């Protein structure tokens, strides 16, 4: 008696039509893989391996080939969501909602793009610095002679794309005329057409003047440039609108100290770095701040007026990459930091999720704060 069901199953399998994967071209199999998993197969995956992967994932269905693909897609979306930390019931609900209007390949690809963005955003590909646009460094204050490692780091990353200004006059001299002093820099901007301008220390006075001219009008070409200022100048109270800006400051800044700074109620303190960065356009500004931290986990030293952290871990070039990226500079810089994170850390981050709904799906009850038992694993 036990042999009868097995025989019936074997007969049904034998009677099922051959999978279309056996006759598909590689391009067709790649397109199917992209629709099912939201990504292309590995470049080293040959045709036989790709065909085997698809055959193992797409099971025969009584209602035919389209139904088999639909079931496989639902399974793939469900597995993706659970791997991103969603509970089974949540993953089923989200998968059902997203798959309702995914009848075409284009719709399926769009669904995967949105799912990845919400629940497990992909880190951007490393930038191609060999074809980088010009980066203009305002020479005064940048430490061309005093701290040459800063410029060497940039040249090592971007090569001939880095251009230093020929204006070497210090804007802090008592008899300095900014109206005349800014003209050589404006001419170099017109000649080199940089995509990013960098300054440090007293060179920030030149950058403030560029921003003033931009606001006054008549210099619209300055709005297409991104800006990085090392050391927030004490006279700076307003960032320009509609342009990317990165400010670099350390907790041990001794020349122009400025607190970060949050009040006890969580609000941002006036005249602080956090207040300053909020005067720029949302999503276009980033405060790179090195805090002074001494805890049981170790000691992290805040940067001084000469920020040494910019020379570590490709930091300064990655900040420039963030200015040149199409996304928010803050998001681009943080994503580039993932290259230094262990696989275990990445797996833990993906498990926690990248969307507020992912985290909230783990909550129990409706209270925002609850007592955690001291003897629990969560505590």
């Amino acid at each position: 008696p036990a042999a009868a069901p097995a025989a019936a199953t074997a007969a049904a399998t034998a009677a099922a039509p051959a999978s279309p994967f056996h006759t598909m071209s590689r391009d067709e199999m790649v397109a199917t893989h992209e629709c099912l998993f939201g990504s292309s197969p590995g470049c080293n995956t040959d045709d036989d391996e790709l065909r085997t992967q698809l055959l193992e994932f797409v099971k025969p269905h009584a209602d035919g080939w389209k139904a088999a693909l639909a079931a496989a897609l639902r399974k793939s979306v469900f597995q993706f969501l659970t791997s991103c930390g969603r509970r089974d019931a949540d993953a089923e609900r989200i998968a059902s909602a997203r798959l309702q209007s995914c009848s075409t390949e284009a719709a399926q690809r769009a669904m995967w793009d949105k799912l990845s963005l919400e629940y497990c955003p992909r880190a951007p590909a490393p930038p191609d610095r060999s074809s980088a646009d010009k980066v203009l460094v305002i020479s005064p204050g940048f430490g061309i002679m005093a701290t040459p490692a800063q410029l060497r780091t940039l040249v090592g990353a971007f090569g001939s794309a880095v251009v230093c200004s020929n204006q070497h006059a210090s804007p802090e001299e008592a008899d300095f005329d900014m109206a005349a002093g800014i003209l050589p820099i404006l001419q170099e901007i017109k000649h080199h057409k940089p995509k990013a301008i960098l300054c440090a220390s007293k060179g920030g006075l030149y950058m403030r003047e560029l921003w003033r001219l931009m606001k006054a009008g008549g210099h619209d070409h300055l709005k297409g440039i991104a800006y990085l200022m090392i050391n927030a100048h004490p006279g700076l109270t307003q960032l320009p609108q509609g342009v990317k800006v990165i400010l670099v400051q350390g907790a041990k800044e001794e020349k122009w100290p400025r607190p970060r700074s949050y009040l006890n109620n969580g609000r941002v303190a006036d005249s602080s770095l956090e207040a300053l960065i909020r005067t720029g356009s949302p999503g276009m500004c980033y405060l790179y701040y090195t805090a002074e931290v001494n805890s049981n986990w170790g000691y992290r030293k805040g940067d001084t007026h000469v920020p040494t952290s910019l020379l570590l871990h490709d930091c300064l070039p990655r900040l420039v990459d963030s200015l040149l990226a199409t996304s928010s500079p803050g998001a681009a810089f943080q994503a580039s930091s993932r290259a230094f994170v262990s696989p275990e850390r990445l797996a833990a981050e993906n498990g926690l999720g990248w969307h507020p709904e992912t985290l909230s799906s783990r909550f129990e009850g409706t209270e925002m704060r609850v007592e955690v038992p001291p003897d629990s694993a969560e505590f």
Side-chain angles (χ1 to χ4, degrees), residues 14-214:
S19 168
F21 292 132
H22 292 293
T23 57
M24 277 186 178
S25 67
R26 179 172 181 84
D27 288 345
E28 291 172 326
M29 289 192 294
V30 169
T32 302
H33 189 284
E34 291 173 346
C35 291
L36 286 177
F37 302 105
S39 62
S40 299
C43 58
N44 295 324
T45 305
D46 62 31
D47 292 1
D48 290 337
E49 291 174 328
L50 178 56
R51 185 174 288 107
T52 300
Q53 289 177 9
L54 293 172
L55 284 168
E56 290 177 350
F57 197 80
V58 182
K59 302 300 182 183
H61 197 284
D63 294 333
W65 171 244
K66 288 186 177 181
L69 281 179
L73 179 59
R74 173 178 286 274
K75 179 172 68 171
S76 180
V77 173
F78 175 82
Q79 290 178 352
F80 170 80
L81 290 167
T82 54
S83 71
C84 292
R86 303 312 296 250
R87 294 180 175 180
D88 288 359
D90 243 4
E92 286 283 3
R93 175 182 60 80
I94 297 169
S96 297
R98 299 299 175 90
L99 291 170
Q100 283 182 352
S101 57
C102 287
S103 57
T104 66
E105 289 188 4
Q108 290 165 6
R109 288 190 172 93
M111 175 202 67
W112 278 115
D113 288 341
K114 190 172 182 180
L115 282 174
S116 296
L117 184 64
E118 290 182 6
Y119 299 107
C120 187
R122 303 181 181 99
D128 180 11
R129 291 172 177 169
S130 63
S131 59
D133 295 299
K134 293 294 184 183
V135 176
L136 177 63
V137 174
I138 296 177
S139 296
F142 207 80
I144 304 295
M145 300 298 292
T147 53
Q150 198 161 259
L151 182 61
R152 278 202 307 267
T153 300
L154 283 174
V155 174
F158 298 98
S160 60
V162 178
V163 180
C164 293
S165 72
N166 290 320
Q167 171 58 288
H168 296 283
S170 171
E172 292 183 335
E173 295 295 331
D175 58 347
F176 180 78
D177 180 9
M178 180 58 78
I182 197 66
L183 293 180
I185 292 180
L186 288 172
Q187 291 170 359
E188 288 180 301
I189 292 173
K190 184 177 180 180
H191 175 70
H192 295 294
K193 297 180 174 58
K195 290 296 183 181
I197 298 178
L198 281 58
C199 74
S201 192
K202 58 189 176 185
L205 287 169
Y206 283 111
M207 190 166 283
R208 281 178 55 196
E209 179 65 10
L210 291 176
W211 292 346
R212 188 193 69 79
L213 294 173
M214 185 193 311

